[in-house]
Amino acid sequence: MSDTLFTRSDFSRKILEILDHVEYRRVESSEDMEDVERLRYKAYKAHDALSLAPEGLLDDVDFDSHAYIFGLYYYGELVSTIRIHYVTPEHRISRSGEAFPDAMDVLLDAGLTLIDPARFAADPELTADLPWVPYLTLRPAIVAAAYFRADRVIQSVRPPHAAFYKRVFYADTIVPGRLAESYGVDVTLMATNVIEVGRKLLTRYPFFISSASEQRMMFSRNPNDTLPPLTIIPTARFVPPGELGTDLPL
C-alpha cells in the first residue's frame, strides 16, 4: 500500500488529533435516550427546526431493530448525536423512506443495502467554535457502511446543506429539493456510492477509517455479545495501512 494513501491535509491532521479527546457511546438505556431527546430539542429549537420532528423528538424508528443511536462526547461531554439506520430490501424502515418512498424503493428493489443517517443534532452552546463536529458526528455512517458492507450512504438534507454532502461525501443528488410531507420543509435526497468512492473518501479524510473491532463495538447485536461498551474510542489513528482495504466495500 502506497504511503501516499495517507497523505493528510492540515484539516484532516487536526481532526485526527481531536480523536484523542473524542468517544462515542451507543445509546441503549432509557436514561441515555432522555439525554438524546433533550439534545435534539435544544438543537432543533436553536435552529428553528422543530417542524422536522412533528411527532416528537423520539419516534418509533428510534427503537427499530435496525436503528443505532450514538452520542459523540468531547472531553466527556455530550456534544452531538446521530441515528444510523441499516436499510435492506427485506427491512425498509427508515426516515428517508418516509420522505422519499418511491426513490428509496427503486434502490432497494435493485437489491442495494443502504445506511441512512438521521436525527443529527449538535449542542449549539458547545459546538459553535468546533467546526469538526459535523464530520465526526457523521463518521458512524461511514463506519456502518464498512461493517454492513453497504452499497450506499443516504443523505436526506435541506437544499442549503447539499453542497456540503457533495463536497465531503461525494454524494450524488437522487431527488432535487422538494417539499417532503414527513418533514414539512424542502428536502433533497442524496446518496454516496461507497463502492465507487470509498477509497477516495478514506484517503482524503482518514479520520473516517475504522478498525474491525470498532465496527463491531458500534454495530454488533450478536445475542452472544455482552452489552455494548460504555465508550467506543475512534480507531482511525491506529489502523495499519495494510488493513485499509477492509474498511469499506471497495
Side-chain angles (χ1 to χ4, degrees), residues 33-238:
M33 286 297 289
E34 291 174 0
D35 290 340
V36 166
E37 184 177 22
R38 283 193 291 268
L39 179 54
R40 287 177 178 175
Y41 179 83
K42 186 176 183 179
Y44 291 10
K45 188 174 188 298
H47 293 91
D48 195 25
L50 287 174
S51 62
L52 298 181
E55 299 178 1
L57 279 302
L58 295 179
D59 57 35
D60 290 344
V61 181
D62 283 316
F63 304 96
D64 182 70
S65 61
H66 282 215
Y68 302 80
I69 300 173
F70 295 95
L72 175 66
Y73 291 76
Y74 183 52
Y75 286 102
E77 191 157 12
L78 177 63
V79 296
S80 63
T81 178
I82 191 81
R83 182 179 73 205
I84 305 297
H85 217 96
Y86 176 45
V87 191
T88 70
E90 298 76 28
H91 193 101
R92 301 192 176 207
I93 298 171
S94 75
R95 187 62 168 161
S96 294
E98 295 175 10
F100 301 97
D102 294 341
M104 291 287 284
D105 280 345
V106 169
L107 297 173
L108 294 167
D109 288 345
L112 301 182
T113 56
L114 316 172
I115 303 300
D116 185 18
R119 295 298 202 187
F120 179 108
D123 190 322
E125 296 179 6
L126 298 178
T127 60
D129 298 320
L130 304 176
W132 49 265
V133 165
Y135 297 85
L136 293 189
T137 306
L138 290 164
R139 181 176 175 272
I142 304 303
V143 180
Y147 178 77
F148 291 109
R149 315 301 290 174
D151 298 291
R152 302 285 189 276
V153 174
I154 298 297
Q155 301 97 4
S156 293
V157 301
R158 301 182 74 169
H161 299 156
F164 170 83
Y165 288 88
K166 181 178 178 62
R167 174 174 57 84
V168 174
F169 294 97
Y170 305 106
D172 298 316
T173 298
I174 298 177
V175 180
R178 72 179 190 194
L179 180 65
E181 293 185 5
S182 59
Y183 285 96
V185 296
D186 286 350
V187 180
T188 298
L189 181 66
M190 308 181 76
T192 298
N193 185 335
V194 291
I195 304 296
E196 293 184 354
V197 306
R199 185 173 296 276
K200 181 167 65 171
L201 179 65
L202 297 183
T203 301
R204 185 178 183 189
Y205 299 114
F207 49 83
F208 285 140
I209 296 170
S210 59
S211 68
S213 61
E214 182 187 359
Q215 295 165 19
R216 287 193 299 272
M217 285 191 290
M218 278 196 169
F219 295 104
S220 174
R221 280 188 173 149
N222 187 321
N224 296 322
D225 289 345
T226 59
L227 291 174
L230 178 61
T231 62
I232 302 169
I233 305 300
T235 56
R237 288 166 64 89
F238 311 111

